[in-house]
Amino acid sequence: MNGHLPESPVSHDLAEAVRSLKRASVLVVGDAMLDRFVYGRVARVSPEAPIPVLTVDREVAMPGGAGNVVRNLTALGTPTAFLSVVGDDQAGSDLTALIGGQSGVEPWLLVQGGRATTTKTRFVAQGQQLLRADHENPEPIQPRLAERMLRIAQDTIAATRVMVLSDYRKGVLAGDIPQRLIAASKAAGRKVVVDPKGLDYGVYAGADLVTPNRNELRLATGRSIESEGALVDAAQSLRLQHGFGAVLVTRAEDGMTLVQADGVQHFPAEAPEVYDVSGAGDTVVAVVAAAMAAGLPLEVGARLANIAAGIVVGKVGTAVAREDDILDALKPERGTLRKVVSRTAAAEQAERWRQRGYRVGFTNGCFDLLHPGHVHLLEQARSWCDRLVVGVNSDASVSRLKGPTRPIQGEAARAAVLASLATVDLVAVFEEDTPTELIRLIRPDVLVKGADYTVDQVVGGDLVQEWGGEVKLAELLPGNSTTATVARIKG
C-alpha cells in the first residue's frame, strides 16, 4: 500500500532483523499491573474546592508493568509466556482477561487471596495528566505461591529462548526469587534480561543484560553521571561488580548507551516528537529481549530498541511499537507517502491530534480517478476540521462495489495521489465495503460526505453523533463523476 522503494543495505538488514523477531520466544516474569486511563475535558472549577472538574468522555484499561512488556512483545509477533501474580479482586480479573485476550501469549497469572492487584489510574484532560491514583500491595508474594511460580518458571524456561525479569518492586520478584530464576535459566543455557529497580543490583547477579535508566544507574552506583564518560564508567563498574554481560542505559532525550566488555556504543534518540514517555522502558526491554532470542547481535537489538522507543514516546498513553511501525521508521524519507498509513497508525495519530486540541475530520471514498469534484469535497472537509483523515476503499472493495472492471488505479496509487494534496493530512485504506470500522477506530469529531446523501444516510453518522461529533454534507460540483469519466474514456 505504501509503495516499495529501494532501501539502503543497513536499512534492509535491520528490516530483516525486525521480521526475525516473530521467530523468537520469550518468558516474562515480573510485576503485572492494570493501567487505567480516564480521558475527559475540564471546563470549570469545582464549587466544593479549588480543583478542576473532569467531564469524562471515555475510559481505557490495559496491562501495565511487566504486562506492558508482554504487550510490546506480542506487538512484535514474538510468542511470549507470562508469569505473574494478581489479587483476587476485580482489577485482577480485568488484567487476566486483557492478558489472555492477546494473541501469542501463554499466561500464568497466579491468584493470591486478599492481595490487591496493582492498579494505576491516570486522569487526563487536553493531553495533560491531572492526577494519578494508585492501588497496590508491594509486600512479597506468599512463600507457597513463590515456590509454585518457580516450578512453573523452570518448566517454561526450557520452552523459551530468553527470560525477562521485569521488576517494579511490587512483590513478585522479592527476596531470592531473581537469583533462583537466573540460576535456572543459566542451567538451561538461556539468557536473562533484567529491567531493574532498587539499589541492590546484586539480586540480579549474572544476568546477561540489565537496562537501568540514567537515574537508576546513578542511584545503584552512588556515582555522579553528569558527563558521558562518567556514565560509561558507572555502567562498567556495575557490570563488573555483578557479573553482568552488558548494561544498556536508557537516557531519555539523549538516547541509549550500550556498555559491554569489548566496547561502548551510543545510540542517539530517534523520537521526532515526544508526547508521552509512559512505558518506553518496557518497549526497550521487550525489543532487545526478542532480538536476543532471535539470535541477533546485542548491538542490533539495542538499535532496534532505540528506534522502537522513539516510536512509543511519540504516541499517547502506554503505547507499543508494532512490527509495521518499526519497518516504517526504517524506510527512507518518502515525502507525502508518509501520510499513507495503516488503520491502526491512523487511529493512534488521530488520538495524538485530539490530545493536542485539534478537531479531527474524516471522509471516505473510492477516489478511483481524482477529479475537481473530489478536490472540492476535500477542501470543504478540511475547512471544517484541523486535521483530515481520508479512508480509501481497497481494490477488492472497489471491485465489489463498482464491478470487475474497477478500479482503474490500484489502491497504492489512489492513496498516493490523495496524500499529495495539502488538504489531506492522513490516508488509510480499508478492506470492508463501508468505512464503519475505520470510523470506530478514528473517532472523528466531524464526518464529511457529499450532499447527494442526507445526514441519516451517511455511514457511521450515528456513531459520530453518539460521541458528540457532527456530520457535514459537502456541496457537490455538477458534472463530475468517475463513472462518467470512465465511460467517456471507453467511448
Side-chain angles (χ1 to χ4, degrees), residues 38-183:
V38 180
Y39 295 100
R41 293 164 285 110
V42 172
R44 61 193 179 96
V45 174
S46 171
E48 303 167 359
I51 56 174
V53 175
L54 180 68
T55 301
V56 176
D57 292 329
R58 61 194 179 92
E59 299 185 26
V60 177
M62 61 187 66
N68 192 44
V69 177
V70 174
R71 285 183 67 226
N72 277 273
L73 285 164
T74 60
L76 300 170
T78 306
T80 306
F82 184 34
L83 183 52
S84 188
V85 175
V86 297
D88 59 344
D89 50 14
Q90 185 59 51
S93 297
D94 292 346
L95 183 53
T96 300
L98 288 169
I99 294 292
Q102 296 183 68
S103 175
V105 178
E106 180 184 0
W108 293 92
L109 298 184
L110 309 181
V111 179
Q112 177 174 321
R115 186 180 183 88
T117 302
T118 300
T119 306
K120 297 180 180 180
T121 305
R122 299 170 176 88
F123 298 88
V124 183
Q126 287 85 39
Q128 299 294 320
Q129 281 195 37
L130 302 178
L131 176 71
R132 195 182 90 182
D134 291 1
H135 292 81
E136 63 181 22
N137 177 3
E139 297 299 317
I141 59 174
Q142 293 173 347
R144 288 177 60 185
L145 201 62
E147 292 299 324
R148 184 184 171 200
M149 186 179 75
L150 287 163
R151 288 195 299 271
I152 295 170
Q154 287 176 335
D155 293 336
T156 312
I157 285 168
T160 52
R161 297 181 182 178
V162 167
M163 179 177 67
V164 171
L165 300 184
S166 180
D167 193 355
Y168 277 82
R169 281 292 189 263
K170 305 302 180 187
V172 171
L173 294 174
D176 65 350
I177 291 177
Q179 271 299 293
R180 294 172 68 181
L181 287 168
I182 292 169

Side-chain angles (χ1 to χ4, degrees), residues 6-19 327 330-332:
E7 295 177 312
S8 68
V10 172
S11 294
H12 176 75
D13 291 343
L14 286 176
E16 289 304 311
V18 173
R19 296 186 185 100
L327 291 174
L330 292 173
K331 292 175 182 175

Side-chain angles (χ1 to χ4, degrees), residues 58 62 95 116 123 153 188 232 244 279 294 308 312 334 341 354 385 455:
R58 61 194 179 92
M62 61 187 66
L95 183 53
F123 298 88
V232 170
F244 299 139
V312 300
R334 294 173 291 117
V341 299
R354 266 193 301 276
C385 62
V455 170

